[in-house]
Amino acid sequence: MTTTSRDPGDGAADLTLLHEAAKLLGQSATPELAITGTLRLMSQMLGLNRGRVLLPGPDDQAVLQIRYSYGLTPEEGKRGHYRADEGITGRVMRTGQLAVIQNIEEEPDYLFRAVDRTTLPEGVVAYIAVPIMDGSMPLGVLACHRLRMRPRPIQADLVILQILSTIIAQILRINSLIDERTRLLKDENQELKETLQKSQTNHGILGESPAIRDALRQVMRVADTSVSVLLTGESGTGKERFSHLLHLNGARRDQPFLAINCAAIPEQLLESELFGHERGAFTGATATKQGKIEMAHGGTLFLDEIGDLNLELQSKLLRVLESQVIQHVGGVKDIPVDVRIITATHQNLQEAVNQGRFRLDLFYRLNVFPIHLPPLREREGDTRLLARHFLLGANREYARYTRFGQGVMERLESYHWPGNIRQLENVVKRAVLVAQQGEIRIEDIETILHQESAVSGHPEANRAVPATARHSPSPSSAPAQGSGHPQPNGPSRPYQWVREDEAAMLQEALKRTGGNKTQAAAVLGMTPRQFRYRLDKLGLHDD
Ligand SMILES: Nc1ncnc2c1ncn2[C@@H]1O[C@H](COP(=O)(O)OP(=O)(O)OP(=O)(O)O)[C@@H](O)[C@H]1O
């Protein structure tokens, strides 16, 4: 070890040392390299030997331990730990005041714990310890030995040591920020892995709430049977997902699964979509075409929004269920089919039956085993799980690494999600796209939720609902939602991605036709049914 004595007032050497220390700070990949490098410079350039940095121990914060050193053996390093009431080091940490011991042999508080006197050079040895401060709080202690009989004034060394302790404080602060960030990322990564694992069971259906577990149990009970299942629940609660789960857990799993949304297809096309058609059956039917029922032969057909099927098609569907045959539109031949039909609705089908809009016999046929999917706001704890899952998916899709900032998860959990899981997925995806510097801030979420409320038209969509007020009265007594009107006691209107300008367009058409929906639909080139469907989705009913 070189100990070079300097002339008193050798300011150029001090500057060189500070310059080198600053370079170390910028270049070192780890705090270990930067701090031990600084301690080495102290020794080589100023003769401040056996430099050490003591910090509270990782296991016991009340005990200071030598964490970095230069010129100490590993055993000496290990021996150097001090409680706050022990020795000079403990005192510096306790008081935040530097200590200069001119002669360690004459100081009763000097413990000789790390370094034995016999290993030190002959002559008078001084000990200097300066606190490493974070504002007014001592973070640790920087200390070293110094041969007393040197031309350079001790005052000059003290100044340098105080500057170096500031640099070391900076290194430690940066390092602790990095550590904290790394720990968060590790935790998050672990959570994401767990979420991914959970999503792999149940074919991607996530949820651990009692409500969703109950629904899953019911699915498993009937998956391997041919019983008719009617899935009820608000829009976006996963009815289609669950129908697929039923299919995948049954004997038909290797056969086709097809889904059709009865409300989304224009009425005149729906029959041909379901039953197929013969060539020439209608204008544009240039070839014979199979319908979805026939295509799903051997497998499962999922009929979403079954409540929107007109009475004529309801009769035809009933015939399929009773006799397992279909006829193409324009055909006369009975075609045998073996299809499991699973249906879903967000409407109250019982009410539709009472109003004469839905056949009672078909209702009985379909409703053999109803499974109600609870709205997201009733799935305690699932929002968190799903939000993480969608974050992972969006990060993958958009090649980002984005995380939720402080308070975001709580905000997502307090929101009442009129559009349920589909809406949550959309919000998380959008948040990933708008996030700056890899963090989704609570403000980003507020903006998106605000836009959501404008789009979904729900008057309360942007209001945080207290946990106690979030549950709607009784899911079992109200298995499906009604007409789609906003409910005073809880959001229940179906949610779908619809553009805001579409609402304006519908309203404008209604205005022009004096509120006549059939005419308004014609103005926009839609069927009255399509028009009503959109009004319904946008919550624009005036009756
Ligand atoms: N438990 C779940 N775990 C993960 N993703 C889910 C879950 N439930 C639903 N989803 C996802 O949410 C979205 C909406 O689900 P789905 O289409 O099945 O709802 P729905 O009730 O059929 O909606 P609608 O009535 O509007 O047709 C889909 O992207 C689906 O994959």
Side-chain angles (χ1 to χ4, degrees):
M1 191 187 318
T2 344
T3 56
T4 319
S5 298
R6 299 266 157 201
D7 293 335
D10 189 353
D14 289 357
L15 277 179
T16 309
L17 181 133
L18 291 178
H19 179 63
E20 291 298 316
K23 272 203 318 210
L24 275 175
L25 177 63
Q27 290 166 355
S28 305
T30 63
E32 172 84 41
L33 287 176
I35 296 176
T36 47
T38 304
L39 297 174
R40 178 176 47 79
L41 289 174
M42 272 166 46
S43 173
Q44 292 177 346
M45 298 184 73
L46 300 182
L48 298 173
N49 293 332
R50 287 167 290 280
R52 69 212 66 178
V53 166
L54 298 107
L55 299 173
D59 301 326
D60 185 353
Q61 291 274 306
V63 176
L64 279 182
Q65 293 179 3
I66 296 183
R67 192 76 68 80
Y68 309 103
S69 65
Y70 182 77
L72 295 185
T73 64
E75 289 68 36
E76 288 171 333
K78 264 187 225 142
R79 286 201 297 268
H81 43 81
Y82 310 85
R83 287 200 319 272
D85 57 356
E86 284 186 319
I88 308 298
T89 312
R91 191 208 308 159
V92 171
M93 183 70 179
R94 195 173 67 243
T95 60
Q97 302 291 320
L98 67 83
V100 180
I101 308 301
Q102 297 285 3
N103 183 352
I104 53 177
E105 279 173 291
E106 289 174 0
E107 170 59 52
D109 277 351
Y110 193 82
L111 301 175
F112 292 102
R113 185 173 287 169
V115 184
D116 201 79
R117 178 65 184 100
T118 55
T119 59
L120 290 172
E122 285 179 12
V124 179
V125 175
Y127 180 73
I128 308 175
V130 293
I132 301 169
M133 303 295 285
D134 182 11
S136 58
M137 280 281 295
L139 282 179
V141 174
L142 165 67
C144 59
H145 287 138
R146 176 186 194 272
L147 280 180
R148 175 121 161 256
M149 295 309 163
R150 295 166 65 236
R152 183 181 156 90
I154 196 162
Q155 200 53 39
D157 286 346
L158 280 178
V159 171
I160 283 288
L161 280 172
Q162 282 175 307
I163 296 173
L164 290 180
S165 84
T166 311
I167 292 178
I168 291 170
Q170 191 63 9
I171 296 171
L172 293 173
R173 259 194 302 271
I174 293 169
N175 189 49
S176 103
L177 283 177
I178 292 172
D179 275 357
E180 175 65 8
R181 172 97 182 173
T182 311
R183 193 185 54 74
L184 277 177
L185 291 179
K186 274 189 184 154
D187 286 356
E188 215 162 75
N189 203 15
Q190 186 56 30
E191 267 188 72
L192 290 174
K193 273 190 191 151
E194 284 167 16
T195 307
L196 188 67
Q197 265 168 7
K198 284 174 188 157
S199 79
Q200 277 158 359
T201 51
N202 293 329
H203 300 282
I205 291 189
L206 273 173
E208 296 191 330
S209 57
I212 206 69
R213 277 173 185 273
D214 186 45
L216 282 167
R217 256 195 305 275
Q218 295 191 56
V219 163
M220 295 312 167
R221 214 174 288 155
V222 288
D224 217 3
T225 68
S226 56
V227 70
S228 291
V229 174
L230 174 67
L231 294 159
T232 61
E234 292 175 19
S235 183
T237 45
K239 297 186 291 296
E240 179 163 348
R241 263 278 163 119
F242 268 72
S243 72
H244 203 195
L245 183 68
L246 273 163
H247 172 74
L248 291 172
N249 280 281
R252 295 167 180 262
R253 66 178 71 85
D254 297 326
Q255 302 299 320
F257 171 87
L258 289 156
I260 187 163
N261 185 332
C262 302
I265 297 175
E267 211 156 41
Q268 64 275 26
L269 285 185
L270 186 57
E271 182 176 3
S272 141
E273 272 294 304
L274 284 171
F275 298 94
H277 60 249
E278 290 297 318
R279 183 169 165 223
F282 48 83
T283 319
T286 50
T288 299
K289 194 177 157 243
Q290 285 191 333
K292 288 273 182 356
I293 302 178
E294 206 176 339
M295 283 151 80
H297 182 66
T300 306
L301 178 67
F302 172 60
L303 296 177
D304 201 359
E305 305 294 6
I306 190 72
D308 281 44
L309 210 61
N310 68 26
L311 286 165
E312 190 192 333
L313 289 181
Q314 288 175 29
S315 307
K316 293 195 170 178
L317 181 62
L318 187 63
R319 178 159 180 254
V320 177
L321 293 169
E322 282 172 345
S323 55
Q324 275 118 47
V325 290
I326 56 149
Q327 276 181 1
H328 286 170
V329 176
V332 286
K333 201 170 78 185
D334 278 348
I335 303 167
V337 284
D338 165 25
V339 180
R340 177 175 197 185
I341 290 187
I342 298 172
T343 50
T345 180
H346 76 270
Q347 297 186 31
N348 186 338
L349 266 197
Q350 183 71 65
E351 203 174 284
V353 169
N354 294 342
Q355 291 169 357
R357 288 187 288 113
F358 205 84
R359 290 181 66 126
L360 181 65
D361 43 7
L362 181 60
F363 173 71
Y364 281 139
R365 271 270 174 188
L366 300 177
N367 196 35
V368 178
F369 198 88
I371 299 179
H372 178 66
L373 300 186
L376 181 55
R377 61 189 165 277
E378 286 175 13
R379 302 186 194 181
E380 207 74 43
D382 286 356
T383 305
R384 181 169 284 265
L385 201 65
L386 286 159
R388 292 216 170 280
H389 170 70
F390 293 137
L391 181 70
L392 184 70
N395 274 335
R396 277 210 192 121
E397 187 177 340
Y398 305 128
R400 308 263 164 113
Y401 186 84
T402 317
R403 55 190 207 92
F404 291 127
Q406 218 178 355
V408 166
M409 195 55 98
E410 289 70 24
R411 177 62 178 125
L412 294 178
E413 283 189 308
S414 74
Y415 190 63
H416 61 292
W417 302 110
N420 293 290
I421 299 154
R422 180 182 295 114
Q423 188 187 14
L424 174 63
E425 181 172 9
N426 288 331
V427 168
V428 172
K429 274 189 171 182
R430 284 172 64 187
V432 166
L433 289 173
V434 300
Q436 305 273 329
Q437 280 137 19
E439 179 165 304
I440 297 172
R441 297 163 313 148
I442 197 148
E443 299 90 305
D444 301 330
I445 295 292
E446 294 300 352
T447 308
I448 295 169
L449 289 179
H450 184 73
Q451 289 162 354
E452 286 277 303
S453 71
V455 171
S456 72
H458 198 284
E460 298 184 349
N462 199 31
R463 187 174 61 82
V465 178
T468 47
R470 265 186 273 142
H471 301 277
S472 49
S474 160
S476 54
S477 64
Q481 299 301 338
S483 63
H485 294 251
Q487 306 288 309
N489 292 329
S492 60
R493 203 165 38 67
Y495 171 96
Q496 217 195 14
W497 274 117
V498 276
R499 298 191 333 259
E500 232 172 320
D501 57 353
E502 204 174 339
M505 190 176 78
L506 300 186
Q507 278 168 327
E508 175 59 27
L510 275 173
K511 213 164 100 191
R512 278 173 54 195
T513 57
N516 184 318
K517 289 182 191 133
T518 311
Q519 285 175 16
V523 166
L524 296 172
M526 293 179 191
T527 64
R529 196 159 155 281
Q530 285 174 320
F531 188 79
R532 270 199 312 276
Y533 178 74
R534 281 176 160 70
L535 284 183
D536 195 33
K537 288 286 180 193
L538 284 160
L540 294 177
H541 277 297
D542 53 353
D543 49 358

